[in-house]
């Protein structure tokens, strides 16, 4: 058991902090967003993540988890400080390390005894050394001689299954430069040793690269199957059958072979751009990853073209009422960052569509987003309210509720039953039997 500070209480920080507390560590979660901290203290969980509320409540109750806004005091009480702030993309695609620098410098100004600084944010190779330099600069400014280590411990959790992923990882990656730091990391993660979870110790740089390379590889898989889907449509194959037949090959695997509107979210788009940008800085070109980024952009355009073609060609979107199911970038979350669903809604609105949308978790987030852009959107009260007088149904996020609808009832509510199933949740035969003209991806 060790004393931990987690700086940044977003998806990664909140899940990591509360699960580390559940492992028996004493954890102070620090965020500069006062409203978020106050809400968390009052028991409100800002993200939609199954199981998280119970873990937070349990660990607050047992005195192992607290939420603060001041980093210095927390740092002074801790053996390890995890940095879990955002690393959004800059205009040139490279990762913006401004928040990481803010935290690193604050640690340098506060630290009084040996501390391990753990980079959990996704950062380009070389950032660990940069964090070290920022902390050292602040120590030098104070004339203080305090030993510290920087460790890279990238996070692989997926939103929607974040608690399970954090507590049951395929592997834990710890890039460190001293045995002292490795020992503290092992104490923090003791349950993983008891459960014999693969625990890989690497250099700082390798750990940083493992995270980017893993995310980029998964993005490649998604774009790969989306391109195969386009060919399936032309050549008369069914991408669902193709993905199953491919994925059962253990060398390939079934995950991330699901054709759809392209990848989104807070990680894949920015991480693919950041690794491509890092390569260019080093005089290399990652042509497969660059092609993936382009293929993903094209995929969204292709989905719009599919809708336009299905409705009768150029100009056919204008004035039509669209029932849109799903706004989050995937199911079981309320995160709309880089969501293909939001991007497609915006393009539909630009083309003159009237939007009726429904999402079981992300309506509040989407309302704020659309309001900022002046788009007028009707948020449905329930699934079936979405379809009132609609000219077309577009399914954009794979919520289980969206895959279990009474199609005949929907067809009767709509003005004209046309269905763009961009997540391949239904069979053509069942949609057509309910009276729909049916379009899907790669089938
Ligand atoms: P987020 O935007 O949800 O949260 C970041 C938090 O950091 C915010 O609450 C913000 O207020 C806080 N913050 C910013 N500067 C701060 C400072 N100086 N002091 C204290 N708090 C500060 O971000 P996220 O989605 O949790 O991602 C964090 C990092 O983890 C990113 O690098 C991301 O790429 C990586 N990551 C994310 C996921 C994911 O699924 N979201 C998965 C793996 C890795």
């Amino acid at each position: 058991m060790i004393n931990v500070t987690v700086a940044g209480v977003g998806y990664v920080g909140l899940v990591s902090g509360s699960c580390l507390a559940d492992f028996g560590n004493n954890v102070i979660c620090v965020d500069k967003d006062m409203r978020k901290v106050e809400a968390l203290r009052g028991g409100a969980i800002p993200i939609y993540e199954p199981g998280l509320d119970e873990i937070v409540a349990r660990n607050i109750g047992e005195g192992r988890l607290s939420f603060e806004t001041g980093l210095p005091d927390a740092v002074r009480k801790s053996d390890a400080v995890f940095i879990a702030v955002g690393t959004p993309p800059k205009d040139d695609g490279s990762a913006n390390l401004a928040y990481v620098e803010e935290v690193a410098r604050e640690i340098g100004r506060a630290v009084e005894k040996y501390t391990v600084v753990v980079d959990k944010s996704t950062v380009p190779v070389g950032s660990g050394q940069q964090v070290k330099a920022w902390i050292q600069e602040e120590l030098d400014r104070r004339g203080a001689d305090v030993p510290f280590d920087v460790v890279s411990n990238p996070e692989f959790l997926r939103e929607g299954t974040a608690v399970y992923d954090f507590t049951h990882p395929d592997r834990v990656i710890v890039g460190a430069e001293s045995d002292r730091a490795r020992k503290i990391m092992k104490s923090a993660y003791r349950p993983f040793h008891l459960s014999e979870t693969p625990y890989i110790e690497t250099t700082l740089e390798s750990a940083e690269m493992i995270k980017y390379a893993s995310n980029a590889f998964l993005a490649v898989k998604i774009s790969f199957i989306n391109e195969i889907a386009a060919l399936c449509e032309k050549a008369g194959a069914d991408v669902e059958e193709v993905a199953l037949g491919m994925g059962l090959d253990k060398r390939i695997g079934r995950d991330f072979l699901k054709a759809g509107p392209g990848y989104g979210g807070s990680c894949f788009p920015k991480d693919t751009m950041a690794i491509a940008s890092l390569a260019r800085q080093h005089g290399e070109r990652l042509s497969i990853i660059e092609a993936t980024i382009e293929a993903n952009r094209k995929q969204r355009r292709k989905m719009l073209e599919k809708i336009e073609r299905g409705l009768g060609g150029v100009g056919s979107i204008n004035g039509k009422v669209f029932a849109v199911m799903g706004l989050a970038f995937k199911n079981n979350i309320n995160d709309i960052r880089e969501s293909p669903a939001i991007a497609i809604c915006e393009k539909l609105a630009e083309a003159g569509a009237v939007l009726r949308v429904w999402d079981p978790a992300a309506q509040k987030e989407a309302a704020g987003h659309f309001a900022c852009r002046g788009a007028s959107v009707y948020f449905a009260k329930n699934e079936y309210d979405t379809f009132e007088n609609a000219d077309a149904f577009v399914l954009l996020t794979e919520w289980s509720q969206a895959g279990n609808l009474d199609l005949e009832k929907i067809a009767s509510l709509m003005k004209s039953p046309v269905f763009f199933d961009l997540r391949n949740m239904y069979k053509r035969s069942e949609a057509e039997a309910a009276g729909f003209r049916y379009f899907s991806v790669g089938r």
Side-chain angles (χ1 to χ4, degrees), residues 8 13 17 39 92 108 133 212 215 217 226 238 246 258 266 276 300 303 331 359-360 396 409:
D92 65 359
Y212 270 123
N215 270 6
F217 191 82
N226 281 338
D238 178 332
M246 283 174 66
K258 189 92 187 98
S266 65
R300 292 182 184 186
M303 296 300 104
N331 58 333
D359 188 291
L396 287 170
K409 180 173 171 184

Side-chain angles (χ1 to χ4, degrees), residues 311 316-323 352-356 384-394 407-419 434-437:
L311 292 175
S316 60
I317 290 172
N318 192 16
K320 296 239 166 48
V321 179
F322 284 77
V354 177
L355 298 177
R356 297 177 69 88
Y384 292 97
D385 180 37
T386 324
F387 299 95
E388 199 83 20
N389 274 326
D391 295 287
F393 168 21
V394 187
L407 291 181
E408 280 179 21
K409 180 173 171 184
I410 290 173
S412 72
L413 292 170
M414 291 175 67
K415 218 185 300 165
S416 57
V418 186
F419 181 7
F436 279 99
R437 279 204 300 125

Side-chain angles (χ1 to χ4, degrees), residues 195-438:
S195 62
E196 297 183 10
T197 300
Y199 189 93
I200 316 296
E201 293 181 329
T202 67
T203 63
L204 258 180
E205 289 73 16
S206 298
E208 290 168 341
M209 183 64 93
I210 286 167
K211 174 63 190 176
Y212 270 123
S214 303
N215 270 6
F217 191 82
L218 295 173
V220 168
K221 258 185 117 176
I222 295 171
S223 282
F224 180 88
I225 201 66
N226 281 338
E227 289 204 329
I228 294 294
L231 182 57
C232 284
E233 283 179 18
K234 298 257 161 76
D238 178 332
V239 76
E240 296 294 322
E241 293 176 357
V242 173
L244 177 63
M246 283 174 66
L248 287 171
D249 183 329
K250 289 194 185 66
R251 295 167 303 175
I252 298 173
R254 289 179 67 179
D255 290 346
F256 291 85
L257 280 186
K258 189 92 187 98
Y263 60 78
S266 65
C267 291
F268 288 180
K270 83 172 171 63
D271 292 348
T272 44
M273 287 197 301
I275 192 173
S277 159
L278 180 73
R280 287 194 298 274
Q281 285 165 30
H282 285 277
E284 286 293 327
R285 223 187 122 216
L286 296 179
S287 55
I288 294 174
I289 296 173
E290 287 188 5
T292 294
I293 295 168
E294 185 47 33
N296 197 55
R297 275 195 204 116
K298 264 198 217 149
Q299 191 64 10
R300 292 182 184 186
R301 284 203 297 275
K302 276 188 182 159
M303 296 300 104
L304 279 157
E305 285 160 17
K306 184 189 283 291
I307 293 170
E308 196 171 56
R309 255 197 330 273
L311 292 175
V314 178
S316 60
I317 290 172
N318 192 16
K320 296 239 166 48
V321 179
F322 284 77
V324 173
M325 191 135 285
L327 298 163
F329 81 85
K330 64 176 182 177
N331 58 333
N332 294 336
I333 57 168
N334 62 346
D335 195 341
I336 58 163
R337 289 180 283 185
E338 295 287 325
S339 169
I342 296 285
I344 290 171
C345 282
E346 281 174 356
K347 290 284 174 206
L348 286 171
E350 270 170 35
V354 177
L355 298 177
R356 297 177 69 88
V357 303
W358 178 83
D359 188 291
Q363 292 202 171
K364 198 170 113 227
E365 289 69 16
H369 178 91
F370 289 134
C372 289
R373 281 154 187 79
S376 135
V377 171
Y378 172 77
F379 287 92
K381 294 181 197 72
N382 55 55
E383 292 94 310
Y384 292 97
D385 180 37
T386 324
F387 299 95
E388 199 83 20
N389 274 326
D391 295 287
F393 168 21
V394 187
L395 197 166
L396 287 170
T397 310
E398 65 278 39
W399 286 102
S400 54
Q401 296 94 318
N404 199 19
L405 296 164
D406 179 342
L407 291 181
E408 280 179 21
K409 180 173 171 184
I410 290 173
S412 72
L413 292 170
M414 291 175 67
K415 218 185 300 165
S416 57
V418 186
F419 181 7
F420 299 94
D421 179 3
L422 303 187
R423 294 287 184 176
N424 290 351
M425 290 192 92
Y426 289 87
K427 292 198 179 86
R428 171 177 300 282
S429 53
E430 59 184 330
E432 288 181 347
F436 279 99
R437 279 204 300 125
Y438 179 77

Side-chain angles (χ1 to χ4, degrees), residues 10-12 31 36 87 102 122 155 159 266-267 270 337:
Y11 248 102
V12 167
D31 203 288
K36 196 182 254 189
T87 47
E102 230 171 72
T122 303
E155 183 49 56
E159 293 181 14
S266 65
C267 291
K270 83 172 171 63
R337 289 180 283 185

